[in-house]
Amino acid sequence: MKLKQRVVLLVALLLLLGLGKIFLLDGSEGTAASRRDLRAFRKMEAGLTLSRAAQLTHTLQSPWEIASQWVGPREVYPEETPELAAVLTSLSTARIERADVGYKGTQLKALLVLDGGQKVVFKPKRYNRDYVVEGEPYAGYDRHNAEVAAFHLDRILGFRRAPLVVGRFVNLLTDIKPVATDQLLSTFLTQGNNTCFYGKCYYCRESEPACGVGESMEGSVTLWLPDVWPLQKHRHPWGRTYREGKLARWEYDESYCEAVKKMPPYDAGPRLLDVIDTSIFDYLIGNADRHHYESFQDDGGASMLILLDNAKSFGNAALDERSILAPLYQCCMVRLSTWNRLNLLRSRSLSAALRQALTFDPLQPVLAEPHLVALDRRLAGVIATVKQCIESQGPDNTLIEDRINLPHP
């Protein structure tokens, strides 16, 4: 073979390899990674619809013990969870043994203990589904339904880094007050015929309580992570200043990612790619308020970035806050598995998948239709951003093969 022919053949092979990374092929023709991602996607689709009548019938373990055993360094729940519907059902129905003010923070919440000693976080309803939160992208109260929707989106994206969340109705007079601490009881009041409470938090005010409809209050319940997995809090490298007229460095320095790459834990291990995954997740849900994040303690940088506190989401369906994607477009890199999943969701419809998943929840409809429509529009924006990176940096520098499967203890 002549030299010129060899060069042409080599170029053709390199081009095919690049295209194999950029375009997800079907299960019979793609790369091994693409086929693996397609199989995972089909498993997700098969398990998307959960049964409202699900019960644990094949085990003597409590739902809390089962959920606790799921947790590992890189996932809150595994890829296949046949007991998920039963655990979520227990979260939404188990008897409340104790109620207290929420742990420290800026937003109203209550700390509940369910039958069997399981701690959960209850976030009350503040807005109707069609309410539009105006102003800054991080404005407004927490949205309880956003926590529910974000959990199911985490399932759909295949991240599996969000604690379990389900919607729940509680009777404030019969479920909460008889088991409430004095500190929580002191914040109860009545407005008209409605029972309300305002709790204890940085922004909690007696003048701004959360109120039920009569005695009944709608909210979300988030499963507390097991105590054997203590959390460590980190300042988000792309956090906002929250000060008018003062920009964070990433907001004016387009080379900021290069500085981040030199700082632990972003200089090695999976953490930077987790931050980029999270920016995609947050952009899809409209969450511009992730100023800190949690990982597991003493992890040496190997722990996942845990997707906690997603309630500042789904506030304004018309607002696509592109700055949330700064880690993606400044670093111009993303996991190949994430890229493959996004492409599959584009072809199958992300909004349809989330709509299907949310039919299980007691709060259904969880989201107003404009928020579901916004998901598909924002997904197209994420894919366009990655394609721009591929064009400027090349597929090998943009699409990173990074699959970490750490064993459970």
Side-chain angles (χ1 to χ4, degrees):
M1 185 181 292
K2 294 181 179 179
L3 178 60
K4 184 176 180 180
Q5 291 174 316
R6 290 177 180 174
V7 170
V8 170
L9 179 60
L10 179 60
V11 170
L13 286 172
L14 290 173
L15 180 61
L16 285 172
L17 287 172
L19 289 174
K21 259 193 161 184
I22 298 172
F23 300 108
L24 181 72
L25 305 177
D26 64 35
S28 62
E29 297 182 84
T31 64
S34 295
R35 291 195 296 272
R36 183 164 59 244
D37 291 339
L38 183 57
R39 287 194 297 271
F41 182 79
R42 286 173 174 165
K43 285 181 182 178
M44 179 278 294
E45 284 188 311
L48 201 55
T49 301
L50 302 176
S51 171
R52 290 190 179 186
Q55 294 182 342
L56 294 174
T57 57
H58 65 289
T59 177
L60 296 178
Q61 291 182 302
S62 73
W64 324 134
E65 290 171 326
I66 291 172
S68 177
Q69 292 170 359
W70 286 341
V71 180
R74 296 295 306 169
E75 62 185 11
V76 175
Y77 51 95
E79 185 175 30
E80 296 184 76
T81 50
E83 306 93 348
L84 179 61
V87 173
L88 291 175
T89 298
S90 296
L91 270 177
S92 66
T93 59
R95 180 175 57 85
I96 299 168
E97 293 183 337
R98 189 170 184 269
D100 199 355
V101 295
Y103 57 94
K104 63 181 181 179
T106 62
Q107 298 287 315
L108 173 60
K109 60 184 76 70
L111 180 61
L112 308 180
V113 178
L114 303 183
D115 186 24
Q118 178 60 53
K119 289 188 289 187
V120 298
V121 176
F122 178 81
K123 295 188 177 181
K125 177 183 176 181
R126 288 291 208 165
Y127 302 113
N128 291 326
R129 299 291 191 272
D130 57 355
Y131 185 88
V132 177
V133 180
E134 303 284 359
E136 298 290 346
Y138 45 82
Y141 299 120
D142 275 358
R143 277 78 79 180
H144 72 296
N145 57 318
E147 289 281 15
V148 176
F151 164 67
H152 288 283
L153 181 63
D154 175 67
R155 293 175 58 212
I156 292 166
L157 291 173
F159 292 160
R160 305 194 302 278
R161 301 170 204 158
L164 275 59
V165 184
V166 70
R168 177 165 181 160
F169 291 92
V170 297
N171 186 300
L172 292 171
L173 296 187
T174 61
D175 295 336
I176 301 297
K177 291 191 77 172
V179 296
T181 63
D182 290 341
Q183 191 174 26
L184 179 60
L185 280 174
S186 68
T187 73
F188 270 73
L189 52 89
T190 301
Q191 288 189 353
N193 295 321
N194 300 323
T195 304
C196 314
F197 76 99
Y198 58 91
K200 299 283 186 181
C201 70
Y202 186 81
Y203 290 122
C204 289
R205 304 284 186 272
E206 184 175 356
S207 58
E208 300 178 23
C211 295
V213 178
E215 304 170 4
S216 179
M217 176 173 280
E218 175 183 321
S220 65
V221 174
T222 302
L223 187 68
W224 197 273
L225 289 169
D227 291 337
V228 295
W229 292 98
L231 300 182
Q232 181 176 352
K233 194 169 187 175
H234 309 264
R235 184 176 295 278
H236 197 298
W238 276 270
R240 301 173 189 276
T241 66
Y242 297 92
R243 298 177 188 174
E244 188 175 354
K246 182 175 176 57
L247 298 177
R249 179 178 168 183
W250 63 267
E251 294 180 278
Y252 60 82
D253 182 359
E254 286 300 316
S255 65
Y256 175 69
C257 183
E258 296 306 311
V260 174
K261 289 178 180 178
K262 298 174 183 177
M263 303 184 301
Y266 312 106
D267 56 345
R271 188 64 56 78
L272 181 57
L273 288 168
D274 281 0
V275 169
I276 293 168
D277 279 349
T278 302
S279 73
I280 294 170
F281 177 79
D282 284 339
Y283 178 71
L284 292 173
I285 64 179
N287 178 19
D289 195 43
R290 203 174 294 280
H291 42 82
H292 289 79
Y293 68 85
E294 285 81 14
S295 71
F296 293 129
Q297 282 184 9
D298 302 324
D299 61 354
S303 162
M304 62 185 157
L305 188 164
I306 304 167
L307 297 175
L308 277 171
D309 291 336
N310 303 306
K312 282 294 184 74
S313 310
F314 298 107
N316 188 340
L319 177 62
D320 299 342
E321 182 55 48
R322 180 170 165 75
S323 66
I324 300 172
L325 282 178
L328 173 62
Y329 61 70
Q330 289 183 351
C331 296
C332 253
M333 55 192 290
V334 67
R335 282 190 173 96
L336 177 60
S337 58
T338 300
W339 173 241
N340 286 342
R341 179 61 61 101
L342 295 175
N343 277 286
L344 283 164
L345 288 167
R346 178 183 59 174
S347 63
R348 306 294 207 278
S349 174
L350 174 57
S351 62
L354 186 58
R355 188 182 290 106
Q356 179 183 346
L358 292 177
T359 57
F360 161 84
D361 198 84
L363 305 186
Q364 174 67 12
V366 174
L367 293 176
E369 188 63 24
H371 289 294
L372 291 164
V373 173
L375 281 171
D376 293 328
R377 184 181 69 244
R378 291 168 185 165
L379 175 59
V382 174
I383 289 175
T385 300
V386 177
K387 285 184 175 180
Q388 290 172 358
C389 288
I390 291 171
E391 291 174 3
S392 63
Q393 306 294 327
D396 290 332
N397 294 322
T398 303
L399 305 177
I400 310 301
E401 179 65 63
D402 176 57
R403 298 167 195 270
I404 299 177
N405 296 305
L406 298 179
H408 286 240

